[in-house]
Amino acid sequence: MTPPPSAPSIPPTFSVVAETEAGHSPWSDAWHRLGRNRLAVAGGCLLLVLAVACIVGPWFSAYSYEDQNLDLGAAPPGAQHWLGTDTLGRDLLVRILYGGRISLGVGLCATMVALSLGVTYGAIAGFFGGKTDMFLMRVVDIMYALPFTIFVILLMVFFGRNIVLLFLAIGAVEWLTMARIVRGQVMALKKMEFIEAAQVLGFGRRRIIFRHMIPNVLGPIIVYATLTIPAVMLLEAFLSFLGLGVQPPMSSWGTLIKDGAEKMEEFPWLILYPGAIFSLTLFSLNFVGDGLRDALDVRAAKD
Amino acid sequence: MFRFLVRRLLQTVPVLFVILTATFFMVRFVPGGPFTAEKSVAPEIQRNLEAYYGLNQPLWRQYLDYLGRLAHGDLGPSFKYTNRTVNEIIADKLPVSLELGAEALVIALALGLTAGIVAALRRNTWIDYAASSLAMTGICVPTFVMGPLLVLLFAIQLGWLNASGWYAWPDRLLPALTLGFVYAAYIARLTRGGMLEVLHQDFIRTARAKGASEIRIVFHHALRGALLPVVSFLGPAIAGILTGSFVIETIFQIPGLGREFVNSAFNRDYTLVLGTVILYATLLIALNLAVDIVLVWLNPRLKFE
Amino acid sequence: MSRVSLPSASLLPAAVCCLGLLLGACGHRETGVERGIREQVLHRGLGSDVAELDPHLITGLAEINVVSALFEGLVAEDPRDLHPVPGVAERWDVSPDNRVYTFHLRPTARWSNNAQVTASDFVASFRRVLTRGLAADYATLLYVVANAEAYHKGRLTDFAQVGFAAPDERTLRITLTNPVPYFLSLLTHPAWFPVYPPALEGAGPPDRRGSRWTRPETIVGNGPFVLKEWRPNQVLIVSKSPTYWDAAAVRLQAIHFHPIDSVDTEERAFRAGQLHLTEALPVGKVDSYRRHEPTVLRIEPFLGTYFYRLNVTQPFLNDKKVRRALLLAIDRQVIVEKITRGGQQPATSFVPPAFAGYAPPGDARRDVAAARQLLAEAGYPGGQGLPAFDILFNTSENHRLIAEAVQEMWRRELGVKIRLVNMEQKTVLETRRALDYQILRSVWSADYLDPTSFLGVFASDSGNNHTGWADARYDALLQEAALTADPAARADLLRRAESMLLDEAPLIPIYYYTTVRLVHPSVQGWYPTPLDHHPYKHIWLEN
């Protein structure tokens, strides 16, 4: 067992105090700390490279996501097609890159939607407690229980097929657990001394929630956000089954993985490469997330 | 505590009522009906079918009829399985899903909590990286890839187990493992995060300074706070696990309820959709209530309010 | 069902290893297939779960595949080509005008409770099918019988006037409205199967839906097998019936039907030795079986056509030339060779070339030059002036790949732009009903062995038309054929009707279906049949 760190303990009112400190803000501190975390930097660079490749890459390719070569069919990786081709003879690399635009876009945006909605909602419920909490959480219970498939089909019936709906549908399910987690954390945090101190100091509720509470529950939020992104990317594949989401011949990582999984014995590269890129992205996101968490953790930082 | 429980149980009634009502009308507005088929049914037969099931009544009337039957615990006949009632289908299939879910849950908790705690305690060592990578594997490899891979290995290459089916106890191994692994990954990540959060707090430092043993610190002091996010996550997650998984049940051909959640919607089996939703909602509300109780138990500063 | 709770996850890998050692020590584990061969128990995969076993209410192929083991009609099917052979009726006479059939029931025909199968059982069954309250999907198949339609629609209340008569318990007389050349083969459809009235009455009103008489405890059948167990989504077990009149010829002791709805799961179950027969095979696996295990791969023609419907009420598609151009520009050969890969044949007509005595016109061939010219004549040279059309299909990998290929062909050959739209099945069907689509992926399969089973789809009064296309001349040709007794003349009329259909092109045929499945080499007496029916009494297992 490692010996306990010998650093002096931080007064519980630290984050209240920190704000009144002049000079560098906690955010620039955090940014600085993040820069020193090698894994996080590597993950961030990789993500950036991937994103740029997805946006720019297809321009430099001789193929498009829809160019078929039925005579070629599914071909293993080679000089012509670096990552091979799918059953219609379409270049897998280009399809992965195009798919990345959709998946990264949807994954990040929808997670942001879920994140902001869930965090705000959960923080309000947890902070105010009592009747407000009861009401808000019962609404969450109701949202959880409504049949998702039916909900999505209805969305399309009433609003047509629209990319905004995609975010709405994904956001509608993914923020719920986030809200419950944040609520649980905030409820616990509310009873901590430094929050009570802030209340005694007469800070406004909004300020307490957004300046004092949310930064202190960022850890679980970031962890859950990195778990939400893959869920969102795979959910997108289900939504495109229902007709929402990407429409063929366009691809997304979710649909590529889903199709590839069915052919993993015959054409292993069809699952291997999309799966590898997917995993690479998630690992990177995870490192960045962990790094971010550490960087924002004011208590750990002073250890 | 008692007043809290009574109040929450009383709230359950309107919540279930809202879910029920919303679902009832939502399924009716979805295009297509239970008798929509590739080969169209002759119009007069369609009319006879609708008359038989009371679908020719005004919608409000059907809604009241449904509520009336529901008050007697009758979830109605299934449209797709013409000689089975929804009560019967749920009674048939729920035990299977509960069993599989319970087994998966045990795996998920044992694997997830262990990996999460160990990773946090041995932060940034190879143990942490190994545990975290295992967890990330569970997240990166979707069940519809993991399941077939396990089948190919254990059933087809090694020939030890059946590829699918639900007859003897060895048939439980692969599906429970596949399902449990995903949740284990989530639990491991959340536990690790929660632990790291708590391990830096003052009371842990104090405990350490006082020379408390590491085991005592973890189980007596840290875990309580660290488990908050895990517990919040588990409420809805357990409700999902216990009511079955569409993907797992399809891959392993398991006669559980999970497939009915999805298929009833695709079949427009109105009564079965409602039945499964009511079941899930009840379970979910019960579990979220349990979560709220556990949250208070984990954090003695909180009170039931 | 034995219940176990695992003590701890850490024990799991250990348990797996122990199990492996245990089994390894015992040597080779006997698979379900091997045991089945020893005990004459057939393990068959069913594509989807069986929703109902009442022969009068079933609609799907999975149900037919089970019900045909439990019940038998007046005539049965020959295992090789499905031509009608004696079933409950040991022989029959046909009147000179081909309108009255007199069936002589065999005295040895028995229900599974040993009661005699009588002519009045049949009449009661037919009456049940035609009862409005039962709302049997296939009641319309009985419309060929005199007054049956009027009775079913309520215009006639006296069932005695419908053309069914049982002069005595072993004689059944059926009078038709018009001569129907395929009448005997029609009788093999489950809607014509007898049910045992006392069994129905024991379980509630016999002509109400939702009766539970088909449960193992209460069901009474007259087929070569009886229902033993019915566990939804898991297994359905039938065992040999001792009371069946031809029981001596039945070699299988039992059949286990496994309703596996995922083709990938089914294929893995086959490889793990759990199934003798699969219902299908994933498209991606066809090639590897062809190469490595050709003996278990069976590809058999099936009476079904994959086609696109064109909605002729939509602008631009209401122009016959545009429709014809689209029809001519498709390379069907490439689609069956490169995409479907399961031995399907390019569809040059709507009716598959599998009906005895009928040769389809085969006009739907690829002719890109003619297609371009037609499009230009219509005023859209090179696709200019045409909007992008939607191809609508229910979500499935196969449909998607074909639509993607067709999209590319039309873009390349005609300059016609296409958008692909996928939805889940029932939304697609509702869109179809509302005629709210432009181009729709469709399928049709035969209910009985006659070209009219296909051509009737596009009659103007057909409930399955769904294209907005109607032509009185087409209806007249079909009507004339229905009244024509001479087979050659009738076939000629039908061919003219189909030529007209292909010329008007409210549909674009793409390919003729095959059934592609895995059959364990031990399965004997399994023949390719166009309706994919395989009478179980002729099947046995032998290495």
Side-chain angles (χ1 to χ4, degrees), chain C residues 13 37 79 100 139 176 217 244 247 288 296 344 346 351 359 406 420 448 451 476 525:
Chain C
I37 297 170
V100 184
L176 308 182
E217 315 83 63
Y244 180 60
S288 86
V296 299
Q344 291 85 354
V351 183
V406 168
L420 304 185
Y448 50 89

Side-chain angles (χ1 to χ4, degrees), chain B residues 33-34 37-40 44-45 48-49 52 82-83 88 93 103 163-164 166 250-251 253 259 268, chain C residues 4 52 132 136 143 153 209-212 214-215 233-234 259 261 265 274 424 426 432 445 447 464 466:
Chain B
E38 178 76 44
K39 290 195 178 180
S40 309
E44 61 271 15
I45 291 172
N48 294 344
L49 284 167
Y52 175 78
T82 36
N83 66 33
E88 231 180 321
K93 298 185 169 179
E103 287 155 9
S164 54
W166 189 256
T250 306
I251 291 172
Q253 184 57 21
R259 273 193 277 184
R268 310 291 192 265
Chain C
V4 283
E52 173 58 273
R132 285 163 69 87
Y143 281 8
K153 289 186 170 164
R209 297 173 78 85
S211 163
R212 298 164 177 236
T214 51
R215 301 296 180 84
N233 274 116
Q234 186 165 20
D261 41 20
T265 302
Q274 291 169 258
E424 56 89 38
K426 292 229 174 181
R432 178 184 80 174
S445 59
D447 287 323
N464 284 306
H466 301 302

Side-chain angles (χ1 to χ4, degrees), chain B residues 87-101:
Chain B
N87 295 51
E88 231 180 321
I89 292 173
I90 291 178
D92 259 5
K93 298 185 169 179
L94 183 62
V96 175
S97 291
L98 286 179
E99 184 192 336
L100 175 63

Side-chain angles (χ1 to χ4, degrees), chain A residues 1-2 4, chain B residues 121 199 203-222:
Chain A
M1 296 277 146
T2 45
Chain B
L121 290 178
L199 283 178
F203 65 98
I204 300 290
R205 295 160 195 272
T206 316
R208 277 192 170 135
K210 284 181 181 165
S213 77
E214 197 74 3
I215 296 204
R216 188 179 159 76
I217 287 177
V218 169
F219 287 99
H220 200 257
H221 300 285

Side-chain angles (χ1 to χ4, degrees), chain C residues 27 140 189 262 284 465 468 503:
Chain C
T140 43
H189 190 281
S262 150
N465 186 316
D503 182 55

Side-chain angles (χ1 to χ4, degrees), chain B residues 259-288:
Chain B
R259 273 193 277 184
E260 301 305 335
F261 276 86
V262 178
N263 287 338
S264 63
F266 286 144
N267 292 331
R268 310 291 192 265
D269 197 336
Y270 298 147
T271 42
L272 192 51
V273 170
L274 279 164
T276 50
V277 164
I278 291 171
L279 174 80
Y280 176 72
T282 313
L283 200 61
L284 181 90
I285 290 170
L287 281 161
N288 277 343

Side-chain angles (χ1 to χ4, degrees), chain C residues 345-419:
Chain C
Q345 291 301 311
T348 52
S349 301
F350 180 47
V351 183
F355 295 102
Y358 180 77
D363 296 337
R365 292 177 191 283
R366 175 178 154 90
D367 186 342
V368 176
R372 288 197 188 117
Q373 192 183 340
L374 274 170
L375 206 58
E377 281 172 22
Y380 315 108
Q384 279 174 357
L386 279 181
F389 294 121
D390 287 348
I391 297 182
L392 175 65
F393 56 99
N394 61 304
T395 312
S396 123
E397 157 122 63
N398 194 35
H399 303 336
R400 194 196 74 219
L401 291 174
I402 291 172
E404 284 172 338
V406 168
Q407 176 187 40
E408 178 77 1
M409 288 170 193
W410 283 343
R411 186 182 65 87
R412 198 178 53 222
E413 311 296 1
L414 301 178
V416 172
K417 287 180 291 298
I418 294 294
R419 280 188 306 252

